[in-house]
Amino acid sequence: MIERCHGDTRPQAGPRARTAIVLAAAALLAATGAAFLPGTASAGTTLGASAAEKGRYFGTAVAGFKLSDSAYTTILNREFNMVTAENEMKIDATEPQQNQFSYGAADQIVNHARSRGMSVRGHTLAWHSQQPGWMQNMSGSALRQAMLNHVTQVATHFRGQVVAWDVVNEAFADGSSGGRRDSNLQRTGNDWIEAAFRAADAADPNAKLCYNDYNTDNWTHAKTQGVYNMVRDFKSRGVPIDCVGFQSHFNNDSPYVSNYRTTLSSFAALGVDVQITELDIQGASAATYRSVVEDCLAVARCNGITVWGIRDSDSWRASQTPLLFNSNGSKKPAYDAVLAALNNGTTPPTTAPPTTNPPTTAPPTTAPPTTAPPTTPPPGSGCTATLQDSTRWGDRFNSLVTVSGASNWTVVVAVTPPQKVSNTWNGSPSWDSSGNVMTMRSNGSGNVFGFTTMANGNWSRPQVRSCTAS
Ligand code: G2I
């Protein structure tokens, strides 16, 4: 059974955090009997397709200059459904001279990904590192304004193309302080992080806005607690933060620890999504990779995993051979372990995940799954579209629509506000101005398309309004 993976196809309307995430997925397509394009990924046999069946994504960092390497792109296109530009969206790449923006390399990666149905994580808008020379030399209010302008310009450029932004990267100090890292940005005032989030929110109200850091995996570490306290504070004051990225560069000095799941679930309990954003593991222990995947699957708000490169030779730490593919492109035991974990893993819990100290906010509870029969709309002109309930999570649910009577079709589906469609697959969607009515057109992926609806408290079934053959 062949599946074609999904793209970022969210509507453009709706308030930010209330619309929740984007990154859910294709499920149960194997059971539909749908015909799909040859050459696309099979559910259960690639990282992206298997993650999608669990309502998650599996991504990789991509270096733009490697897109001409067919061995590289073969693996990229086959395995992954999320892409992060490894360097091309950083400040020095996108604004090399003040107010002169340069998007060519990043656009190339975004276009490569999105034209193949992969989504894109943006990395990163504000960071003490990889600043262009002009910014390194700035301070005070001039720097604050330059940073905010950068956030605004870049988030605006990629608006609608980036599903989640690392708005601020690595702002906390290592060691026992649990406080902020000193930097020129920090010296503009402690509120620089929330200012960056507010600017990003204004520029792209639909992208998920993440804080991203490393060495925040161990729940007992001061740095982890420092970030946790900031996120809790942001949530309590309404600062628009949607997600926390855990880079998860595991090595002998900063190893995977068994309380990692506690870390993920504790942050999630604050009301943010969690994402594993730059995973690599020194030596690529299959067991450790498996544990990381299982930990993510055990936390309902863990949306997905991104590895920081494809082959060992692509890694920033190549000598540690930390990735899932050998330098010759062959799959390593860690790859098999990850795929098995994705395929055998537990579905997201329908009850709240365990929380740990200090729990603050109760995780959302989940209504029981509906068992209502499929809804059949009135026949349209020349085709029939039948909507069927699919996988359901604590905050969202999937629907599958099967079209009969036409191979080129247009189906109109409506969701009920405040529901929002956060993801689609196997069709080309467009939206009305409300963002609640989706017009889905066939795109050669067969006669079954799917979409994820963020419930936002309303679990009513989306309605098929029409099916038109074209
Ligand atoms: O350092 C590992 C990662 C830690 N978290 C944030 C990530 O953004 C970071 O990624 C690495 C890239 O993998 C490296 O590729 O960030 C480094 C610094 O931005 C990247 O290294 C840079 C080199 O410093 C540059 O000299 C080089 O021109 O890569 C550039 C492109 O190869």
Side-chain angles (χ1 to χ4, degrees):
M1 187 57 59
I2 294 173
E3 179 200 339
R4 184 180 174 83
C5 278
H6 43 280
D8 163 29
T9 49
R10 298 154 306 132
Q12 296 303 304
R16 115 162 349 280
R18 276 58 67 188
T19 65
I21 201 143
V22 167
L23 307 162
L28 301 186
L29 288 177
T32 66
F36 296 98
L37 282 181
T40 53
S42 297
T45 63
T46 67
L47 302 171
S50 294
E53 290 194 328
K54 293 292 185 288
R56 290 164 171 86
Y57 64 81
F58 207 99
T60 182
V62 164
F65 71 89
K66 292 176 184 163
L67 292 176
S68 56
D69 173 352
S70 65
Y72 181 83
T73 55
T74 295
I75 304 172
L76 168 64
N77 299 347
R78 185 186 71 219
E79 296 288 344
F80 298 97
N81 55 9
M82 179 68 77
V83 159
T84 306
E86 186 171 359
N87 291 297
E88 292 78 355
M89 287 190 193
K90 293 175 180 174
I91 312 173
D92 57 351
T94 50
E95 195 177 356
Q97 305 297 329
Q98 188 168 17
N99 263 318
Q100 292 179 16
F101 291 87
S102 168
Y103 296 118
D107 284 344
Q108 185 194 10
I109 292 175
V110 170
N111 292 338
H112 181 99
R114 284 170 52 80
S115 67
R116 290 166 177 79
M118 308 170 193
S119 297
V120 178
R121 291 191 85 262
H123 174 78
T124 177
L125 294 171
W127 191 18
H128 69 277
S129 183
Q130 298 298 114
Q131 292 182 359
W134 64 265
M135 186 179 272
Q136 291 175 30
N137 294 328
M138 292 182 86
S139 64
S141 60
L143 173 61
R144 173 68 69 93
Q145 285 311 311
M147 180 275 285
L148 294 175
N149 180 57
H150 180 85
V151 170
T152 299
Q153 296 295 326
V154 177
T156 300
H157 175 81
F158 291 108
R159 180 180 172 138
Q161 303 186 74
V162 163
V163 295
W165 268 110
D166 293 332
V167 177
V168 171
N169 194 41
E170 301 176 356
F172 275 73
D174 293 309
S176 59
S177 79
R180 299 285 182 85
R181 169 196 298 277
D182 179 53
S183 72
N184 60 348
L185 291 168
Q186 181 62 29
R187 289 191 292 272
T188 70
N190 205 50
D191 63 344
W192 74 275
I193 296 180
E194 61 195 84
F197 274 84
R198 293 189 197 283
D201 184 33
D204 188 347
N206 288 317
K208 288 296 201 174
L209 304 182
C210 304
Y211 176 78
N212 191 53
D213 215 328
Y214 66 90
N215 283 355
T216 49
D217 316 292
N218 189 327
W219 180 239
T220 67
H221 279 181
K223 187 173 179 181
T224 308
Q225 292 298 313
V227 175
Y228 178 88
N229 288 332
M230 178 188 75
V231 174
R232 184 172 55 181
D233 171 56
F234 279 11
K235 292 299 288 183
S236 73
R237 292 191 293 112
V239 177
I241 185 169
D242 302 307
C243 40
V244 176
F246 297 84
Q247 295 185 9
S248 303
H249 294 292
F250 293 119
N251 55 54
N252 297 342
D253 296 326
S254 179
Y256 169 81
V257 283
S258 59
N259 67 28
Y260 184 57
R261 188 179 300 192
T262 298
T263 302
L264 298 178
S265 63
S266 299
F267 275 82
L270 291 176
V272 289
D273 292 332
V274 294
Q275 303 174 355
I276 299 169
T277 54
E278 303 183 15
L279 179 63
D280 48 23
I281 301 172
Q282 180 171 14
S285 154
T288 307
Y289 263 106
R290 182 177 192 115
S291 295
V292 170
V293 173
E294 289 173 347
D295 289 341
C296 181
L297 292 177
V299 177
R301 293 196 74 154
C302 183
N303 308 128
I305 299 171
T306 294
V307 286
W308 205 241
I310 298 177
R311 305 161 300 193
D312 284 334
S313 52
D314 300 318
S315 171
W316 69 300
R317 286 174 165 166
S319 65
Q320 294 186 2
T321 61
L323 295 174
L324 301 178
F325 293 86
N326 282 314
S327 297
N328 67 8
S330 59
K331 297 169 181 173
K332 296 165 64 174
Y335 172 95
D336 297 330
V338 167
L339 190 65
L342 291 171
N343 287 332
N344 303 330
T346 55
T347 52
T350 51
T351 53
T355 56
T356 53
N357 291 335
T360 52
T361 321
T365 55
T366 306
T370 58
T371 52
T375 303
T376 306
S381 15
C383 56
T384 301
T386 304
L387 185 143
Q388 194 164 16
D389 297 337
S390 182
T391 310
R392 179 169 174 162
W393 295 273
D395 56 352
R396 62 194 189 277
F397 59 90
N398 284 352
S399 305
L400 298 175
V401 178
T402 304
V403 180
S404 59
S407 53
N408 289 321
W409 39 261
T410 301
V411 175
V412 176
V413 180
V415 298
T416 308
Q419 292 177 340
K420 288 287 174 197
V421 175
S422 60
N423 192 31
T424 75
W425 56 98
N426 290 344
S428 299
S430 56
W431 307 88
D432 77 338
S433 57
S434 73
N436 296 312
V437 180
M438 174 176 72
T439 299
M440 182 70 90
R441 292 185 174 79
S442 53
N443 68 353
S445 300
N447 69 335
V448 179
F449 70 87
F451 59 99
T452 303
T453 303
M454 301 308 308
N456 294 324
N458 185 319
W459 293 91
S460 56
R461 182 180 295 109
Q463 304 123 31
V464 174
R465 291 203 172 154
S466 65
C467 184
T468 307
S470 50

